[in-house]
């Protein structure tokens, strides 16, 4: 039988950092009953796997799960692989584009591995809500929907705002909070954790549990963590995040970059220290307190030894001005324009800013200051560049860059081509292939469903894409050796890479690879596949389902904003056709026109 701490001691630990508990007295009663009977509380928190990596913002909930776990209660890390397919409408001003099973399953696998950096794997139950939601029949779904009214659903702030402004609300969006509530029924949750933005969904769980004859769960909400800027919530889309899978040195340095005021909020939400302990840390010098925090957070995800090394590296490099022991190689196309190479290496946000940094004396090459934007001659060997006080990188030539130089000297005797194909039942498209010739001529072929005919589209690949494809093919020896990884991962389809020229043909089949060049090449072709698939969907809707055009354009814009379109020129002709057809929906045409304006020009 578990041994539990006194109730008030448990309450104090659980209330630390919490935004709200509904209701504290109910939680006290459950804890009292748990202590009397020796029965642990059932505690859950759900995460929809809509992105592959977790950041510190996600760990605010994980940390509170850990607190329940530390106190002897049973926790469930719930992966919303089913609800992720619906799309959480929370905070949305429009319908969220639906995800497909492929990325949901792939992201779910990464979540599994990442959460155990904080939670005890031996005492953590990992569940997928498709276990019960996926098996509900139509009658059960209707029964669930009958337990709540449309009027009550429209009380939700984001639904109310969209309804009043005339923005469409799809019926399936009402299913999301109901599905999340049913998770609590299936798990018989005593407590559910969530961010403050999830309050409506969590409270709905209480009501649905009562409807199914269960005691209503206690709701514990946690604040949304501000990102490095101290203003907006931590998010990859804002670039103000700290990923828990990032190296310890990166985590340490990013924590050290936050303001002194934000530091205390991070202490409260991202550590196990009690409020009295945190008050004691305020007697330290702010720099020492922040180093302690950075070392604690880095140690949580990489171990104490790595955190100490990260602290030492920060003190040596950032505070002492020394070069780091390990300097990252960054591949760029060698030239005589240092500003362009700094921008390409992401050491400056733009060429203009790179030029300003160079002229101000903030840049050195191999330890020598450089204030000239245009070098006396193009770089021909790797060089260590320092920008500012502590940003280092070793610039090395890309294979693509070397190929470009070689192409200027040697005429190509043949027109080699690289082919990629992927087939995956249930995916959209079920099959596609991309063939890219060295001269840029390319063909996209796809079958939307297994029984559909193949559709072929010719396009001209951009030079940057062509160079990247053939550079990676060269690194991989034109696919003359195995690419398949032995790692056990979620199945994401059968893939093939092939190389052909005038003299030979080589190819390799695989389902998953960990070879960097092969993984990068696969990701590039998958993004080209997204362009081709979007074009097929758009053409189909233009011909057979015109009312769906606006929703499809919203999804395409989301693909563009999510950097999922690998070759926009494959999609551009269809968008131009949409813009030019005055018989189609004006809203869809406007979206297409705006998107075309953002596409790079060949």
């Amino acid at each position: 039988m578990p041994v539990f701490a006194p109730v008030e001691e448990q309450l104090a630990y659980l209330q630390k950092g919490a935004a709200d508990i509904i209701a504290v007295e109910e939680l006290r009663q459950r804890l009292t009953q748990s202590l009397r009977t020796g029965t642990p509380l059932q505690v859950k928190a759900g995460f929809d796997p809509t992105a592959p990596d977790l950041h510190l913002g996600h760990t605010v909930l994980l940390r509170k799960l850990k607190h329940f776990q530390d106190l002897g209660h049973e926790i469930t890390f719930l992966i919303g692989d089913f609800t992720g397919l619906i799309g959480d409408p929370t905070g949305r001003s429009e319908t969220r584009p639906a995800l497909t099973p492929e990325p949901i399953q792939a992201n779910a696998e990464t979540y599994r591995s990442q959460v155990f950096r904080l939670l005890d794997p031996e005492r953590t139950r990992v569940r997928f809500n498709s276990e019960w939601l996926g098996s509900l029949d139509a009658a059960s779904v209707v029964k669930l929907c009958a337990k709540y009214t449309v009027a009550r659903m429209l009380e939700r702030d984001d639904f109310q705002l969209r309804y009043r402004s005339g923005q469409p609300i799809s019926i399936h969006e009402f299913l999301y909070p109901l599905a999340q509530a049913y998770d609590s029924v299936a798990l018989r949750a005593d407590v559910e954790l969530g961010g403050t933005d999830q309050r409506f969904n969590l409270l709905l769980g209480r009501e649905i549990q009562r409807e199914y004859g269960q005691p209503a769960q206690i709701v514990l909400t946690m604040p949304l963590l501000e990102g490095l800027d101290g203003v907006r919530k931590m998010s990859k889309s804002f670039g103000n995040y700290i990923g828990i899978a990032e190296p310890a040195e990166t985590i340490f340095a990013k924590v050290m970059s936050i303001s002194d005021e934000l530091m205390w909020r991070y202490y409260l939400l991202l550590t196990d220290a009690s409020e009295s302990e945190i008050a004691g840390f305020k007697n330290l010098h702010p720099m020492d307190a922040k180093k302690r925090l950075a070392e604690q957070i880095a140690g949580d995800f990489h171990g104490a030894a790595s955190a100490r090394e990260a602290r030492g590296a920060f003190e040596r490099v950032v505070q002492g001005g020394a070069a780091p022991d390990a300097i990252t190689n960054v591949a760029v196309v060698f030239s005589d324009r240092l500003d362009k190479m700094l921008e390409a290496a992401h050491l400056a946000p733009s060429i203009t800013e790179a030029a300003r940094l160079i002229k101000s004396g903030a840049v050195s090459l191999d330890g020598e200051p450089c204030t000239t934007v245009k070098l006396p001659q193009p770089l021909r060997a790797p060089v260590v560049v320092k920008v500012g006080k502590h940003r280092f990188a070793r610039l090395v030539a890309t294979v693509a860059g070397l190929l470009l130089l070689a192409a200027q000297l040697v005429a190509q005797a043949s027109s080699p081509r690289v082919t990629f194909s992927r087939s995956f039942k249930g995916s959209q498209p079920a099959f596609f292939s991309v063939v890219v010739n060295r001269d840029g001529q390319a063909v996209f072929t796809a079958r939307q469903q297994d029984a559909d005919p193949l559709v072929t589209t010719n396009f001209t690949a951009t030079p940057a894409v062509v160079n990247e494809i053939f550079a990676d093919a060269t690194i991989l020896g034109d696919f003359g050796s195995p690419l398949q990884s032995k790692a056990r991962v979620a199945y994401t389809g059968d893939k093939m890479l092939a190389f052909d020229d005038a003299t030979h043909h080589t190819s390799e089949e695989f389902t998953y690879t960990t070879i960097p060049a092969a993984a990068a090449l696969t990701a590039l072709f998958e993004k080209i596949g997204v362009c081709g698939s979007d074009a097929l969907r758009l053409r189909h809707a233009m011909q057979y389902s015109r009312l769906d055009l606006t929703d499809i354009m919203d999804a395409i814009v989301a693909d563009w904003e999510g950097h999922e379109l690998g070759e926009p020129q494959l999609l551009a002709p269809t968008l131009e056709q949409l813009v030019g057809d005055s018989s189609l929906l004006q809203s869809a045409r406007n979206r297409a026109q705006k998107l075309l304006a953002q596409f790079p020009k060949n």
Side-chain angles (χ1 to χ4, degrees):
M1 179 180 293
V3 177
F4 299 107
V7 169
E8 294 306 316
E9 183 179 323
Q10 292 190 61
L11 265 179
Y13 192 37
L14 296 174
Q15 286 180 297
K16 177 207 165 196
D20 196 10
I21 298 178
I22 306 169
V24 173
E25 187 53 40
E26 290 182 26
L27 179 57
R28 180 181 281 108
Q29 292 172 5
R30 296 278 179 103
L31 291 173
T32 300
Q33 182 182 8
S34 170
L35 181 62
R36 185 175 64 252
T37 63
T39 305
L41 298 183
Q42 299 299 315
V43 185
K44 69 175 266 251
F47 296 79
D48 284 353
T50 54
D53 297 308
L54 298 174
H55 55 64
L56 288 186
H58 298 111
T59 69
V60 173
L61 286 184
L62 290 179
R63 176 78 52 183
K64 191 54 64 178
L65 276 179
K66 178 180 181 294
H67 291 171
F68 276 98
Q69 192 174 67
D70 291 343
L71 293 170
H73 300 291
E74 293 185 357
I75 66 169
T76 297
F77 180 84
L78 179 62
I79 297 177
D81 59 330
F82 189 93
T83 45
L85 296 173
I86 302 173
D88 186 358
T90 301
R92 302 287 294 190
S93 60
E94 56 187 16
T95 302
R96 183 187 294 270
L99 292 178
T100 58
E102 279 187 84
I104 289 286
Q105 290 300 322
N107 295 343
E109 290 301 320
T110 66
Y111 278 24
R112 249 194 220 264
S113 61
Q114 292 175 57
V115 298
F116 294 134
R117 300 184 185 214
L118 198 58
L119 302 176
D120 182 349
E122 298 298 323
R123 298 190 295 132
T124 302
R125 293 190 301 175
V126 178
R127 301 288 297 272
F128 292 79
N129 62 11
S130 61
E131 294 176 31
W132 47 86
L133 293 176
S135 61
L136 288 179
D137 57 22
S140 298
V141 173
V142 171
K143 179 182 177 182
L144 175 60
C145 292
K147 296 185 182 299
Y148 211 67
T149 67
V150 171
R152 292 291 305 279
M153 198 69 77
L154 287 175
E155 291 175 4
R156 179 176 172 147
D157 289 344
D158 37 25
F159 283 155
Q160 192 174 123
L161 289 172
R162 285 166 62 183
Y163 184 73
R164 288 178 176 175
S165 63
Q167 291 292 322
I169 303 172
S170 297
I171 295 297
H172 80 280
E173 294 181 85
F174 286 168
L175 292 178
Y176 186 93
L178 288 169
Q180 181 174 332
Y182 192 79
D183 290 341
S184 295
V185 173
L187 293 173
R188 304 190 70 86
D190 290 304
V191 183
E192 182 173 15
L193 311 183
T196 52
D197 59 340
Q198 289 287 316
R199 181 184 174 92
F200 180 94
N201 294 354
L202 302 175
L203 291 177
L204 181 56
R206 285 170 60 87
E207 296 193 37
I208 296 301
Q209 280 184 304
R210 291 191 190 103
E211 290 287 337
Y212 281 87
Q214 295 182 11
Q217 66 186 11
I218 287 92
V219 167
L220 190 156
T221 60
M222 296 297 294
L224 301 181
L225 183 71
E226 295 86 350
L228 299 176
D229 55 10
V231 178
R232 295 176 295 188
K233 74 173 184 178
M234 184 172 287
S235 170
K236 281 198 167 185
S237 61
F238 295 147
N240 64 351
Y241 71 97
I242 303 176
I244 69 173
E246 292 187 280
E249 287 189 18
T250 301
I251 292 176
F252 191 97
K254 283 187 174 183
V255 174
M256 293 301 297
S257 73
I258 66 176
S259 68
D260 290 350
E261 181 182 2
L262 186 60
M263 166 176 62
W264 301 116
R265 187 158 172 83
Y266 275 34
Y267 259 117
L268 183 66
L269 298 177
L270 300 176
T271 75
D272 295 334
S274 68
E275 294 189 55
S276 60
E277 289 175 315
I278 295 171
F281 298 153
K282 292 184 178 181
N283 295 322
L284 300 173
H285 187 283
M287 176 63 75
D288 294 332
K290 196 176 293 182
K291 285 182 181 179
R292 183 188 184 102
L293 172 67
E295 187 172 348
Q296 176 64 56
I297 292 175
D300 281 340
F301 304 109
H302 293 284
S306 295
R308 285 193 298 270
E309 291 175 5
R311 178 170 181 161
F314 179 87
E315 293 172 343
R316 185 175 63 256
V317 175
V318 178
Q319 294 183 294
D325 295 333
I327 299 177
T328 302
N329 290 339
V330 180
V332 297
V333 176
F334 277 178
S335 71
D336 60 355
R337 288 289 301 275
L338 182 56
D339 55 346
K340 289 186 176 181
M341 288 188 286
L342 292 184
E343 190 269 342
H346 302 293
L347 293 170
S350 66
I351 293 175
T352 301
E353 177 62 12
R356 188 194 68 77
L357 290 168
I358 294 167
K359 292 175 181 177
S360 69
V363 177
S364 65
L365 299 179
D366 282 339
E368 296 294 327
C370 180
T371 56
T372 305
V373 171
K374 187 175 176 65
L375 301 176
Q377 61 181 5
L379 288 184
R380 299 186 183 278
V383 61
V384 173
V385 60
K386 178 183 178 184
V387 179
K389 294 182 178 180
H390 54 80
R391 299 186 67 196
F392 291 85
R394 181 180 291 104
L395 302 184
V396 299
T398 62
V399 176
L402 296 176
L403 287 174
L404 284 173
L405 292 173
Q408 297 172 0
L409 302 174
V410 181
Q412 298 296 316
S414 61
S415 181
R417 63 182 179 273
V418 171
T419 301
F420 173 84
S421 68
R422 190 213 65 194
S423 60
F424 187 17
K425 289 185 178 181
S427 175
Q428 290 287 341
F431 167 86
F432 79 86
S433 70
V434 182
V435 181
V436 179
N437 288 351
R438 192 65 184 84
D439 61 5
Q441 296 305 303
V443 179
F444 172 82
T445 304
R447 176 186 287 119
Q448 284 292 83
Q449 301 289 347
D450 291 329
D452 290 347
L454 290 172
V455 178
T456 297
T457 306
N458 295 318
F459 66 102
T460 301
T462 54
V465 168
V466 174
N467 292 333
E468 184 175 348
I469 289 172
F470 282 85
D472 285 337
T474 300
I475 292 172
L476 296 167
D478 297 339
F479 321 122
S481 57
L483 303 178
Q484 176 65 40
S485 168
K486 294 181 180 178
R488 297 181 62 185
V489 298
Y491 174 69
T492 57
D494 298 312
K495 306 175 184 71
M496 184 271 292
L497 280 166
F499 178 88
D500 294 273
D501 64 11
T503 60
H504 73 291
H505 165 87
T506 49
S507 65
E508 278 294 325
E509 296 181 356
F510 60 100
T511 57
Y512 177 75
T513 183
T514 55
I515 300 172
L521 191 53
T522 299
L524 175 58
F525 275 116
E526 291 282 6
K527 289 184 177 183
I528 294 175
V530 172
C531 283
S533 176
D534 283 346
L536 290 178
R537 292 171 59 208
L538 199 55
R539 289 202 293 268
H540 183 275
M542 288 164 63
Q543 186 172 2
Y544 301 110
S545 183
R546 296 188 171 198
L547 292 178
D548 292 334
L549 280 172
T550 300
D551 288 342
I552 292 173
M553 277 307 309
D554 285 343
I556 292 174
V557 169
D559 286 341
W560 170 253
E561 292 175 347
H563 306 289
E564 293 300 320
L565 299 182
E567 190 56 273
Q569 301 309 317
L570 174 56
L571 178 58
T574 307
L575 292 175
E576 291 168 352
Q577 183 182 351
L578 171 59
V579 170
D581 190 341
S582 60
S583 69
L584 299 176
L585 291 171
Q586 187 62 45
S587 58
R589 295 170 63 205
N590 290 342
R591 285 167 171 77
Q593 191 164 25
K594 289 180 181 178
L595 186 57
L596 279 169
Q598 299 177 53
F599 283 177
K601 306 301 180 184
N602 274 336

